[in-house]
Amino acid sequence: MGITTMQHRIPFVNEMMEVTRNMWELGWDERNGGNISYLLKKNEVKEYIDIKDVKRTIPLEFPVRELVDKYFIVTGTGKYFKNVVVNPEKNLGVIRITEDGNAIEVLWGYEDGSRPTSELAAHFMSHIERLKKDPEHRVIMHAHATNVLAMTFVHDLDEKNFTKTLWQMCTECLVVFPDGIGIIPWIVPGTNEIGQRTANKMKDCRLVIWPQHGIFGAGSTIDETFGLIETVEKAAQIYMLINSHQGGIKQIITEQQLLDLAKVFGVNPVDGILNAK
Ligand code: 2HA
Ligand code: ZN
């Protein structure tokens, strides 16, 4: 049996094993790069884990009253995506937010005494914003997607321009992320500030780019969130390919074609990007 077909008895642990492996294989998450948090339903946790058995309590630097009594599975800080599939109990943890919203309780995993990702602020604050928009929301995913990162060196960082370029790289991008992408300035990672700025963008869209660092995606399932980042990364790859092609660009997807596409697929492109009538 190949490493990628290893199965865990807990289905949501399995999902994390699979997706972290895929992200690593795509080269998006070198070393300890990337992190994922996945909101779980109490009932699905109870089925596999004793939720009365609190292993450890870890105080939070920022209170999250909006997430009281919520359960998440979260990648561990400093952990390598490459290793999740080999030892999920060490590289992942299942946590619950305490009744006062000031701490988290570890219920499973982080077996070497570890704790959740250094980007927990960005994750929790983004969950709070996305849940206000979408009750089905469950996943926040961060990756150092190679071409997205490369593109932030050579494309201007105006979010409307950036979104339009991505939409024009693959015909179906507009259908996958009609709300476009948000971009924050370069900020030191792992800080409350980068968390707040990311979450602020998540009010309006499900994708936020951190220049020269990576991307954050939000969605209702692991698959959907992965697919969202995968689609942006593909578009960014096309951009990087055609811009280094010596022959230059001979034809493009026009704004009118994008509008035609939106109409047929029934999506509303975010305002202020497509100008054709
Ligand atoms: O988890 O990717 O942004 C490591 C990181 C920090
Ligand atoms: Zn990162």
Side-chain angles (χ1 to χ4, degrees):
M1 190 161 57
I3 208 162
T4 46
T5 56
M6 279 167 84
Q7 294 281 316
H8 197 278
R9 70 180 178 91
I10 308 180
F12 47 82
V13 173
N14 235 5
E15 285 186 86
M16 293 290 277
M17 285 160 63
E18 247 181 58
V19 76
T20 47
R21 179 73 189 192
N22 285 331
M23 292 168 83
W24 176 68
E25 282 186 354
L26 285 161
W28 300 352
D29 296 285
E30 74 291 342
R31 201 174 181 275
N32 64 321
N35 27 76
I36 304 172
S37 59
Y38 178 10
L39 174 60
L40 304 168
K41 296 197 174 88
K42 187 175 184 171
N43 279 342
E44 67 183 324
V45 178
K46 253 169 65 180
E47 213 174 308
Y48 303 97
I49 293 170
D50 179 2
I51 61 168
K52 293 197 194 81
D53 182 14
V54 175
K55 314 271 189 217
R56 273 186 289 147
T57 302
I58 305 173
L60 285 169
E61 283 168 31
F62 49 93
V64 284
R65 308 216 192 289
E66 299 88 339
L67 300 177
V68 163
D69 205 30
K70 294 219 183 300
Y71 294 74
F72 293 90
I73 185 163
V74 187
T75 51
T77 183
K79 302 302 186 205
Y80 294 21
F81 273 22
K82 169 175 86 66
N83 296 339
V84 173
V85 74
V86 182
N87 194 340
E89 284 82 0
K90 202 164 117 183
N91 294 287
L92 304 172
V94 173
I95 57 170
R96 174 177 56 212
I97 321 302
T98 53
E99 306 257 303
D100 58 6
N102 287 329
I104 54 168
E105 294 168 323
V106 178
L107 303 173
W108 176 95
Y110 301 139
E111 281 189 352
D112 58 355
S114 173
R115 52 193 295 147
T117 170
S118 58
E119 303 294 358
L120 197 62
H123 281 256
F124 277 172
M125 291 174 194
S126 295
H127 279 296
I128 291 168
E129 292 308 328
R130 290 314 305 171
L131 283 167
K132 285 183 197 161
K133 282 266 153 150
D134 174 13
E136 298 301 313
H137 162 82
R138 292 179 76 179
V139 178
I140 297 288
M141 194 178 276
H142 168 55
H144 299 169
T146 314
N147 289 282
V148 171
L149 224 147
M151 195 169 156
T152 65
F153 286 83
V154 296
H155 194 285
D156 77 71
L157 295 177
D158 176 88
E159 347 180 273
K160 287 194 171 13
N161 292 343
F162 208 96
T163 296
K164 184 172 165 187
T165 299
L166 291 172
W167 283 352
Q168 288 187 305
M169 291 303 105
C170 310
T171 295
E172 296 190 358
C173 274
L174 171 65
V175 180
V176 178
F177 52 98
D179 296 337
I181 49 120
I183 305 180
I184 60 167
W186 189 96
I187 299 170
V188 176
T191 56
N192 286 351
E193 189 196 351
I194 204 167
Q196 269 149 7
R197 298 287 288 255
T198 305
N200 197 38
K201 293 290 179 192
M202 287 275 180
K203 288 177 182 167
D204 302 313
C205 56
R206 296 185 299 151
L207 288 157
V208 180
I209 288 177
W210 290 4
Q212 296 84 50
H213 183 144
I215 185 164
F216 263 76
S220 55
T221 63
I222 290 278
D223 244 13
E224 188 208 14
T225 316
F226 175 83
L228 202 54
I229 294 177
E230 192 182 23
T231 306
V232 175
E233 170 60 8
K234 177 67 174 276
Q237 184 180 15
I238 305 289
Y239 179 83
M240 296 310 293
L241 278 172
I242 62 179
N243 276 286
S244 57
H245 183 67
Q246 287 194 339
I249 293 164
K250 301 285 197 303
Q251 48 276 323
I252 61 162
I253 304 171
T254 65
E255 294 192 35
Q256 187 57 57
Q257 285 169 334
L258 289 175
L259 287 165
D260 293 348
L261 186 80
K263 201 167 161 195
V264 172
F265 279 84
V267 295
N268 287 321
V270 62
D271 283 344
I273 297 184
L274 301 177
N275 303 309
K277 287 280 164 330

